[in-house]
């Protein structure tokens, strides 16, 4: 389905119904019996509704500052259509760290652009009630675009921004229900993560700041997640991420029943790359289902 006109144009006052698009790939894992396995680890490669928008536009400069949605923390208005453009000095990048985030899921969206707010610069779209990981620009400009629809709002968001030297990665973020070890974030520095009792780590425990193209720096892996011992599955968004079976690289439990849904932008495809895979042959199954049917592993 093609997005409606005006979907990628900040500041437009176009009228939309409540529509959304979901290019999805669903991964389901089931386990039975008493046999065990190490299981699998995979690496994976919204929408906006506005109508007669209440526009606001902000241009921000300086080494640091704070951004809040209109009305925060008491709720943003319906039909909000607001942009923030942050500009740093030469040889710097911008790190955005969220302190609070609550948007009506799937209908109110905060889009982040690595540069000016143009579709070709889209970095990610954020919605829902999960606190996003920190975001670091690749250049001097980072932009935000908030769009809300005609009904239902939430608290909104608050984020701080800071100019970083281009040779640093910035703080990759702290984990809810977890611990971060490492306080320097320049090229060559490492940060290690672990989870509190009752939670297991999904993703890589050790992140390394590496030099990237264009004399910049970036972390070698995405921020991991601490999940409850009895939890598995979920909905994933963003340009890349990691999925692992419960307790990986240890054995997953018997009678596991997990579903992961991966959402991508309209027109995009999703690539899955397996780094490790081991299930009990003939009894435990991973099913991957997308727009072209499903396959069993």
């Amino acid at each position: 389905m093609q997005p409606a006109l005006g979907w990628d144009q900040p500041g437009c006052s176009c009228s939309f119904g409540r529509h959304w698009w979901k290019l999805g790939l669903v991964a389901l894992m089931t386990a039975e019996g008493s046999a065990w396995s190490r299981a699998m680890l995979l690496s994976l490669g919204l929408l906006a509704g506005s109508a007669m928008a209440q526009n606001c536009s902000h241009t921000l400069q300086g080494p640091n500052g704070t951004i809040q949605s209109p009305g925060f923390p008491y709720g943003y208005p319906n039909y909000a259509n607001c942009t923030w453009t942050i500009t740093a000095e030469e040889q710097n990048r911008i790190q955005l760290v969220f302190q609070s985030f609550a948007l009506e899921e799937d209908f109110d969206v905060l889009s982040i652009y690595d540069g000016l707010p143009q579709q070709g610069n889209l970095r990610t779209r954020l919605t829902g009630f999960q606190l996003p990981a920190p975001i670091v620009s690749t250049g001097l400009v980072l932009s935000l675009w908030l769009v809300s629809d005609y009904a239902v709002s939430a608290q909104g968001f608050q984020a701080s921004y800071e100019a970083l030297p281009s040779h640093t990665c910035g703080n990759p973020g702290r984990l809810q229900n977890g611990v971060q070890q490492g306080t320097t974030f320049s090229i060559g520095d490492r940060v290690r993560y672990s989870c509190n009792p009752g939670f297991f780590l999904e993703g890589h425990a050790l992140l390394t700041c590496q030099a990237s193209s264009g004399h910049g720096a970036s972390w070698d892996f995405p921020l991991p997640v601490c999940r409850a011992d009895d939890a598995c599955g979920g909905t994933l968004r963003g340009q890349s991420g990691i999925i692992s079976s419960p307790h990986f690289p240890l054995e997953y439990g018997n009678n596991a029943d997990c579903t992961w849904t991966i959402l991508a932008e309209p027109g995009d495809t999703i690539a899955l790359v397996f780094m490790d895979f081991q299930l009990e042959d003939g009894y435990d199954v991973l099913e991957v289902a997308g727009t072209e049917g499903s396959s069993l592993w």
Side-chain angles (χ1 to χ4, degrees), residues 282-296:
Y283 294 96
D284 299 344
V285 175
L286 176 69
E287 179 181 357
V288 180
T291 56
E292 297 181 357
S294 62
S295 57
L296 297 179

Side-chain angles (χ1 to χ4, degrees), residues 40-242:
M40 57 85 202
L41 170 71
L42 16 96
S43 170
L44 12 148
L46 269 201
L47 24 109
S50 68
M52 302 179 60
Q54 298 181 14
N55 296 321
C56 58
S57 179
H58 307 273
T59 300
L60 306 169
Q61 295 178 329
N64 55 67
T66 300
I67 295 174
Q68 294 180 338
S69 55
F72 182 87
Y74 303 107
Y76 51 86
N78 297 322
Y79 303 135
N81 189 335
C82 294
T83 59
W84 295 263
T85 301
I86 311 166
T87 304
E89 296 182 352
E90 293 292 334
Q91 306 300 318
N92 284 277
R93 299 185 298 160
I94 301 162
Q95 176 172 256
L96 185 71
V97 179
F98 288 90
Q99 288 81 45
S100 181
F101 190 90
L103 301 182
E104 183 196 9
E105 188 159 12
D106 291 332
F107 297 107
D108 300 340
V109 179
L110 180 68
S111 300
I112 309 295
Y113 296 86
D114 198 351
L116 294 175
Q118 302 168 354
Q119 183 64 20
N121 296 332
L122 181 65
R123 177 76 168 268
T124 187
R125 283 191 170 96
L126 305 172
T127 187
F129 300 88
Q130 182 175 346
L131 193 67
I135 296 171
V136 179
S137 68
T138 59
L140 304 177
V141 179
L142 187 71
S143 302
L144 297 78
W145 176 31
L146 172 67
V147 174
S148 64
D149 69 352
Y150 61 86
V152 184
S153 67
Q155 184 182 43
F157 71 89
Q158 176 176 290
S160 60
Y161 67 88
E162 179 182 7
L164 300 176
S166 58
H167 62 274
T168 66
C169 289
N171 192 333
R174 299 189 179 275
L175 297 187
Q176 186 176 1
N177 302 307
V179 177
Q180 179 192 58
Q181 294 176 305
T183 57
T184 56
F185 314 116
S186 296
I187 294 176
D189 290 334
R190 296 182 176 183
V191 175
R192 183 176 296 275
Y193 290 97
S194 59
C195 295
N196 298 334
F199 296 84
F200 69 92
L201 191 75
E202 185 175 278
H204 290 266
L206 184 65
L207 275 59
T208 303
C209 181
Q210 299 180 333
S212 58
S213 59
H215 306 288
S218 60
W219 295 104
D220 56 349
F221 294 107
L223 184 70
V225 177
C226 288
R227 300 198 184 279
D229 282 340
D230 58 352
C232 66
T235 300
L236 301 96
R237 297 178 173 85
Q239 294 178 324
S240 63
I242 290 177

Side-chain angles (χ1 to χ4, degrees), residues 240-257:
S240 63
I242 290 177
I243 291 178
S244 61
S245 54
H247 309 296
F248 182 88
L250 302 178
E251 305 165 10
Y252 56 82
N254 297 321
N255 302 310
D257 187 356

